[in-house]
Amino acid sequence: MDCIFCKIAAGEIPAEKVYEDDHVLAFHDINPQAPLHVVIIPRRHIATINDIGEADTDLMGRLLQAAKAIAAREGVAGDGYRLVVNVNRGGGQVVFHIHMHLMAKRPFGWPAG
């Protein structure tokens, strides 16, 4: 498989890691859109949110728990942060491996994008 996030998870491509456990890896985005911009991925390859099944419920919850832990560790939980999941090209997804962006330390408007 030629997935950049799978290669990062396997240690084949270096990344500035901020969180990791047996199921989830998080690292700083190489093209940050905020002063704090972390990408959170499951270690197991799933292309899009449309591809998750009932068996992935625990894994998806682990991504949210990782985001919560990272926000607390980075000191942004109280002030606030944005979590973004893009789905397919029309939704802005560029890397087809489920991932969540945690962004903080700048104001965010609504509606997004």
Side-chain angles (χ1 to χ4, degrees), residues 37-98:
H37 187 164
V38 174
V39 177
I40 306 167
I41 66 169
R43 289 186 178 275
R44 184 167 55 85
H45 183 86
I46 305 171
T48 77
I49 291 293
N50 293 335
D51 298 310
I52 63 173
E54 192 69 31
D56 299 313
T57 300
D58 183 59
L59 179 60
M60 298 311 294
R62 288 175 183 273
L63 291 178
L64 291 171
Q65 289 293 336
K68 175 184 165 187
I70 294 162
R73 186 177 306 142
E74 295 291 331
V76 299
D79 289 339
Y81 53 97
R82 178 165 284 178
L83 295 175
V84 176
V85 178
N86 300 319
V87 181
N88 282 330
R89 291 199 196 288
Q93 187 174 6
V94 176
V95 177
F96 284 81
H97 181 125
I98 289 176

